[in-house]
Amino acid sequence: MATIINKYATAATATLFLVVAASGIAMFFHLGEDLVKELHEWLAVVMVAFAGLHIYKNWKPLVGYFRRRTILGPLALTMIAAAAFIVPAAMSSGENPRARIFQALQNAKLADVGQMLKMEADDLAGTLKARGFVIASNDQRLSEIARASNKPPMAVVMTVFEASNQ
């Protein structure tokens, strides 16, 4: 086991870091967020495991950073940066407004969404039907359309907004 850790821990940590960093940067700039978010999250968990093995492998040099206090500056800067994000979020209501917006959209009737997007409800219904959604009337809520179509509500919301951009 020690040979495997010595041989692969650092290499795996480095390659996972590159993928997690690239996907994080893509998400930061809103490039393909829906494509890389899950990849980013899962590979970050795997990277933490390999980073733990890397720390285990390099324990003595790491202790040296503490002894020489070399790590204190980077550690302090990291903690300050983390606090700058965490403290304001913890002091707010804690509820993500995006989640409330999407919840409201999912509960809105197709006709109301069409009006909001300055589109005819029949046109939206036609687009949704063409993409496999089951619609009984324009008075259905997007969540009802999703349920009838055996699809997630977010799929209806995204399809409606794609249609409004065409």
Side-chain angles (χ1 to χ4, degrees), residues 34 117 119 124 127 131 154-166:
D34 54 334
L117 296 174
M119 290 186 69
L124 282 176
T127 299
R131 298 217 182 136
M154 188 58 71
V156 182
V157 172
M158 296 307 291
T159 304
V160 164
F161 277 93
E162 285 173 18
S164 73
N165 287 328
Q166 294 176 351

Side-chain angles (χ1 to χ4, degrees), residues 26 43 48 62 70 73 104 140 156:
L43 289 186
V48 167
L62 181 64
T70 309
Q140 277 184 289
V156 182

Side-chain angles (χ1 to χ4, degrees), residues 13 19 46 55 61 66 82 89 94 96 125 127 143 155 159 164-165:
T13 302
V19 174
V46 174
I55 289 169
F66 280 96
N96 183 345
T127 299
S143 59
T159 304
S164 73
N165 287 328

Side-chain angles (χ1 to χ4, degrees), residues 6-86:
N6 286 335
K7 189 172 183 180
Y8 295 109
T10 301
T13 302
T15 41
L16 285 163
F17 167 78
L18 291 174
V19 174
V20 170
S23 59
I25 290 169
M27 289 190 317
F28 179 79
F29 289 107
H30 307 290
L31 302 170
E33 283 178 279
D34 54 334
L35 301 174
V36 299
K37 183 179 185 302
E38 196 168 349
L39 162 107
H40 177 81
E41 290 171 349
W42 279 104
L43 289 186
V45 170
V46 174
M47 185 183 84
V48 167
F50 276 100
L53 293 174
H54 173 75
I55 289 169
Y56 172 78
K57 174 187 169 210
N58 294 290
W59 185 251
K60 287 182 182 176
L62 181 64
V63 170
Y65 287 127
F66 280 96
R67 236 185 268 125
R68 291 185 306 277
R69 299 178 188 221
T70 309
I71 204 163
L72 296 180
L75 181 62
L77 288 173
T78 302
M79 297 306 275
I80 290 167
F85 286 93
I86 294 171

Side-chain angles (χ1 to χ4, degrees), residues 85-103:
F85 286 93
I86 294 171
V87 170
M91 294 176 75
S92 72
S93 67
E95 188 172 355
N96 183 345
R98 283 189 224 169
R100 291 185 71 193
I101 291 167
F102 279 113
Q103 189 67 37

Side-chain angles (χ1 to χ4, degrees), residues 140-156:
Q140 277 184 289
R141 299 185 185 287
L142 298 187
S143 59
E144 294 169 340
I145 294 169
R147 199 173 315 112
S149 308
N150 291 320
K151 296 187 179 185
M154 188 58 71
V156 182

